Amino acid sequence: MFCFKLNISKTIFTKSFIVSKTMHSSVSRNYVCMQQVPGFTIDEMQKTADQSVQRYTKDNDALNKRKGKGVAIVWFRNDLRVHDNEALFLAWESSEAVLPVYCVDPRLFHGTYHFGFPKTGALRGQFLMECLTDLKRNLQKQGLDLLVQHGKPEELLPSLAKTYGAYTVYAQKETCSEELNVEKMATINLEQVELQCDQPNFRVRPKLELCWGSTMYHIDDLPFDCMLLPDTYTQFRKSIESKSAIRNCIRMPNSLGPPPDVKDWGCIPDMTELGLEQIKVDRGMKFIGGESAALSRVFEYFWKKDLLKIYKDTRNGMLGPDYSTKFSPWLASGSLSPRLIYEEVKRYEKQRVANNSTYWVLFELIWRDYFRFLSIKEGNSLFLLGGPRNVKANWSQNQILFDAWKNGQTGYPLIDANMKELSATGFMSNRGRQIVCSFLVRDMGIDWRIGAEWFESCLLDYDPCSNYGNWTYGAGVGNDPREDRYFSIPKQAQNYDPEGEYVSYWLPKLGALPKEKRHFPGMSYIKPVVVLRYGNTKKSNTPSTSRGMSAAGGKSNDSRYKRIH
Ligand SMILES: Cc1cc2nc3c(=O)[nH]c(=O)nc-3n(C[C@H](O)[C@H](O)[C@H](O)COP(=O)(O)OP(=O)(O)OC[C@H]3O[C@@H](n4cnc5c(N)ncnc54)[C@H](O)[C@@H]3O)c2cc1C
Ligand SMILES: Nc1ncnc2c1ncn2[C@@H]1O[C@H](COP(=O)(O)OP(=O)(O)OP(=O)(O)O)[C@@H](O)[C@H]1O
């Protein structure tokens, strides 16, 4: 396996770069190959998850009463968990038997809308299958199972409703047009089905019951109508923090059975069935999919490693599992409920310490909520070139420049290292995402949607609202014009990777250079494909790379961006 030496320095992120004992007990602390997140064995994960699920389960099953008859279907979408799952709870409460279903929708494995990248890249495909395997196991533990079917939900669900005589299909509500179209078609097709009921000559048409479940603040608890969502994040945050409360997790019953009589529950597809190639992660972080891994990561980050109390100081790191929570892949697949994170933060604050860092995780989760609600207000404008503000600008679709960015061959180690990490692991830090986004749109002048679709393909944590929301902000077309920011590579390198450790992790040849040369290696590295718009914004002795016109056609050193980071 490919290994190299990592120098332990005193920079913010390396302080929090703790090598997982489980994975590397026999490996010297200084040699890092791949780190699994969370750093537990499968058995440890299941044990940890069982304990967490127990905490979020009703103490006494007698307190939960089932009120309905017959079979209810739960259509699992981006809510791949048993804990705090309203659709699952309502289906259980309103029936005698629950049929949990996942539809492997072929459209998820086609191309992205404009530029045709695989809509679900191989690493996210693998992660998703791990989520399904774990969900099946967790449902089995609670007396149910997961029916896995291949096809479009709007075609499969009516046929299942008919076969099992289910009056209601419960599912979690989505907010972007692709998913809304599926909801609409499923509703229409379910209404075409006629089911017999107890009363003679009376027919029932099954319906789709959608419930809210993706955010920390419930949509019904917002102090304003979603269409009147404030235009700035700060206004939004202050308003909800002062006027709304976060609901507790739904305490699920201990047992969710019995299941209906199903002959063949189906298998979780393997990668070849999805038309995807298996990719082995052997550098950086390997995330394990599923609710058990998600709950274990919460335990690991908050309780075992006790990192929550320093989150605000470390969150801008780029290297290793521990500078930030790494909750996002599980939040995006719904293997982790944001309300469970909230309850765990509050428990930590009571038992250990409450400080700026413990609050800041909630502050970041409110950003996630904001982008979700924004997608309702802004609709498809989030995906359009001009964004919510309908900004008119000239964008390039230069294939050579885009390929250099995508493949990590721009000649700027900070960009290249981040893009290599994304391809190799499906993850990139928030700091890295902001830098590579700014570089693509501002230094290269490339149509931001190409970058957003590349992220859509690669990211384990891809979520349409957070991805397109952040990209529109990064491209300066988002609803808040104050977010129009330029990220200066020399400055970012100096502030966030001063010793060049991150770049030499992903570009090992740079490790041989003196630290001060790692970000600007000159002739010993690829020639920069564009000049930077603001090459001279660094604080110290890094040579300026700004010479005349940028690839985007703008003059260097102009004053378009008031905020240079
Ligand atoms: C161009 C760009 C594209 C992005 N695309 C996505 C995406 O598709 N899916 C996604 O989940 N995040 C996206 N983000 C936001 C952010 O980068 C990731 O959520 C974060 O890096 C995940 O790492 P973490 O869980 O360790 O975050 P932490 O720092 O530990 O934060 C905790 C949680 O807060 C939320 N959060 C933090 N920052 C943001 C943010 N800027 N926007 C929304 N939520 C946030 C996430 O749910 C995260 O898990 C994007 C950011 C940028 C700049
Ligand atoms: N979940 C999603 N992920 C990525 N892109 C999305 C998502 N939902 C919607 N979009 C984007 O929104 C845009 C419009 O989507 P869609 O085609 O579903 O809308 P529509 O109202 O049917 O429009 P049209 O039929 O004119 O294309 C596209 O750019 C599409 O990529």
Side-chain angles (χ1 to χ4, degrees):
M1 199 186 278
F2 175 71
C3 299
F4 53 89
K5 191 160 191 223
L6 179 80
N7 297 314
I8 301 295
S9 83
K10 291 195 180 73
T11 55
I12 285 174
F13 56 84
T14 45
K15 258 195 273 175
S16 66
F17 190 15
I18 296 164
V19 179
S20 146
K21 284 191 191 115
T22 325
M23 295 301 298
H24 303 292
S25 50
S26 60
V27 182
S28 150
R29 190 184 152 80
N30 287 351
Y31 288 88
V32 179
C33 302
M34 176 277 284
Q35 289 178 277
Q36 183 188 284
V37 188
F40 294 147
T41 63
I42 298 281
D43 278 356
E44 284 168 340
M45 277 190 250
Q46 294 199 1
K47 223 184 258 167
T48 309
D50 285 348
Q51 282 164 4
S52 298
V53 166
Q54 210 48 51
R55 179 167 297 111
Y56 293 95
T57 299
K58 261 246 173 358
D59 290 339
N60 182 353
D61 260 359
L63 297 173
N64 280 317
K65 290 252 175 333
R66 299 185 87 154
K67 297 169 194 141
K69 288 227 151 105
V71 174
I73 294 176
V74 183
W75 167 29
F76 278 97
R77 308 173 83 191
N78 288 324
D79 56 340
L80 303 177
R81 62 174 183 269
V82 171
H83 72 270
D84 193 28
N85 188 322
E86 186 156 4
L88 180 59
F89 181 74
L90 291 178
W92 177 85
E93 194 181 41
S94 64
S95 70
E96 288 168 307
V98 176
L99 177 62
V101 178
Y102 184 84
C103 307
V104 184
D105 187 336
R107 290 166 296 200
L108 285 186
F109 302 93
H110 293 166
T112 55
Y113 195 85
H114 294 284
F115 306 101
F117 305 123
K119 192 163 170 72
T120 302
L123 288 165
R124 189 164 74 250
Q126 175 71 39
F127 186 84
L128 175 62
M129 294 311 121
E130 289 168 9
C131 289
L132 294 177
T133 306
D134 191 60
L135 178 63
K136 194 173 174 69
R137 195 167 36 214
N138 291 345
L139 286 167
Q140 284 168 345
K141 278 187 197 162
Q142 313 265 41
L144 290 176
D145 205 327
L146 180 67
L147 177 64
V148 179
Q149 297 222 322
H150 291 251
K152 296 180 178 172
E154 64 270 29
E155 290 166 7
L156 296 171
L157 294 168
S159 139
L160 289 169
K162 190 162 187 170
T163 309
Y164 292 94
Y167 292 177
T168 314
V169 176
Y170 292 90
Q172 182 171 291
K173 175 106 193 79
E174 286 291 338
T175 56
C176 294
S177 60
E178 284 177 7
E179 291 79 4
L180 293 181
N181 288 342
V182 177
E183 286 173 12
K184 265 185 228 151
M185 288 187 285
T187 303
I188 293 170
N189 293 350
L190 280 165
E191 277 172 7
Q192 310 300 311
V193 177
E194 284 194 347
L195 299 175
Q196 275 187 323
C197 75
D198 295 347
Q199 292 154 1
N201 303 325
F202 197 75
R203 298 271 188 279
V204 173
R205 293 177 189 281
K207 61 179 192 316
L208 178 62
E209 191 78 46
L210 294 164
C211 27
W212 190 259
S214 53
T215 50
M216 189 164 69
Y217 283 90
H218 197 286
I219 191 167
D220 294 343
D221 300 336
L222 295 182
F224 36 72
D225 186 288
C226 221
M227 299 313 280
L228 299 173
L229 190 78
D231 272 337
T232 68
Y233 167 74
T234 306
Q235 270 178 292
F236 167 76
R237 181 180 56 77
K238 287 189 172 160
S239 173
I240 55 167
E241 283 180 335
S242 60
K243 297 184 190 139
S244 308
I246 296 167
R247 298 181 183 186
N248 281 338
C249 291
I250 295 169
R251 264 52 184 177
M252 304 293 286
N254 261 306
S255 163
L256 295 161
D261 185 16
V262 175
K263 286 200 179 58
D264 179 8
W265 287 94
C267 293
I268 312 294
D270 63 26
M271 294 289 278
T272 42
E273 283 173 82
L274 303 175
L276 297 172
E277 206 185 314
Q278 185 95 35
I279 299 184
K280 193 169 180 316
V281 176
D282 55 12
R283 281 196 294 166
M285 289 172 283
K286 158 83 180 114
F287 287 79
I288 306 296
E291 179 178 18
S292 304
L295 295 170
S296 299
R297 176 60 185 170
V298 175
F299 173 75
E300 180 181 53
Y301 188 84
F302 284 15
W303 301 100
K304 184 168 178 242
K305 293 185 174 173
D306 205 12
L307 294 167
L308 179 56
K309 65 179 184 216
I310 53 163
Y311 167 77
K312 194 158 184 263
D313 305 323
T314 59
R315 60 176 284 273
N316 276 309
M318 290 188 283
L319 191 55
D322 291 337
Y323 60 82
S324 67
T325 67
K326 305 297 180 304
F327 292 158
S328 58
W330 296 290
L331 283 164
S333 56
S335 314
L336 180 59
S337 156
R339 292 193 297 221
L340 183 138
I341 302 174
Y342 174 77
E343 286 200 42
E344 288 291 293
V345 168
K346 292 291 140 191
R347 200 160 72 87
Y348 181 96
E349 286 179 340
K350 258 195 203 143
Q351 292 185 18
R352 298 217 174 146
V353 60
N355 61 19
N356 251 341
S357 284
T358 57
Y359 164 69
W360 216 259
V361 168
L362 304 179
F363 177 98
E364 295 300 339
L365 285 169
I366 298 175
W367 264 113
R368 179 177 172 274
D369 279 13
Y370 183 59
F371 284 126
R372 173 62 64 165
F373 295 127
L374 199 61
S375 73
I376 298 177
K377 182 182 178 190
E378 302 296 352
N380 275 347
S381 73
L382 209 58
F383 302 98
L384 301 180
L385 189 58
R389 280 193 298 125
N390 196 17
V391 175
K392 303 271 181 257
N394 287 329
W395 297 95
S396 145
Q397 292 193 354
N398 184 315
Q399 186 74 42
I400 296 173
L401 289 185
F402 175 71
D403 284 346
W405 180 82
K406 169 175 117 142
N407 298 327
Q409 291 175 329
T410 65
Y412 292 99
L414 191 56
I415 303 299
D416 297 349
N418 272 290
M419 297 309 293
K420 286 194 187 298
E421 179 180 12
L422 177 64
S423 296
T425 68
F427 191 84
M428 188 193 289
S429 67
N430 186 54
R431 177 65 31 198
R433 293 181 207 204
Q434 294 180 88
I435 297 169
V436 302
C437 166
S438 168
F439 181 80
L440 184 83
V441 301
R442 307 197 186 291
D443 290 310
M444 288 184 151
I446 303 266
D447 180 341
W448 65 269
R449 296 169 309 170
I450 316 184
E453 285 194 14
W454 181 244
F455 269 34
E456 176 176 349
S457 180
C458 297
L459 282 175
L460 296 180
D461 63 23
Y462 169 66
D463 161 67
C465 314
S466 287
N467 189 53
Y468 284 86
N470 275 292
W471 271 97
T472 52
Y473 269 41
V477 302
N479 61 319
D480 185 350
R482 294 169 319 157
E483 293 290 331
D484 195 6
R485 298 186 288 174
Y486 177 89
F487 285 77
S488 151
I489 292 177
K491 211 169 156 188
Q492 293 290 316
Q494 180 151 334
N495 289 346
Y496 299 103
D497 189 25
E499 316 261 299
E501 295 213 45
Y502 176 73
V503 293
S504 45
Y505 184 100
W506 288 102
L507 307 163
K509 279 187 185 162
L510 298 179
L513 297 178
K515 286 170 189 168
E516 61 285 1
K517 285 204 133 186
R518 289 178 185 166
H519 282 281
F520 294 93
M523 301 293 278
S524 59
Y525 189 61
I526 307 165
K527 186 167 177 269
V529 292
V530 289
V531 291
L532 300 176
R533 262 178 186 263
Y534 297 90
N536 58 353
T537 53
K538 68 191 187 322
K539 285 181 198 139
S540 67
N541 52 0
T542 325
S544 169
T545 49
S546 180
R547 292 182 297 272
M549 303 290 280
S550 81
K555 278 191 187 130
S556 57
N557 298 330
D558 64 26
S559 58
R560 187 177 143 203
Y561 307 110
K562 286 182 210 88
R563 301 177 64 193
I564 299 182
H565 289 255

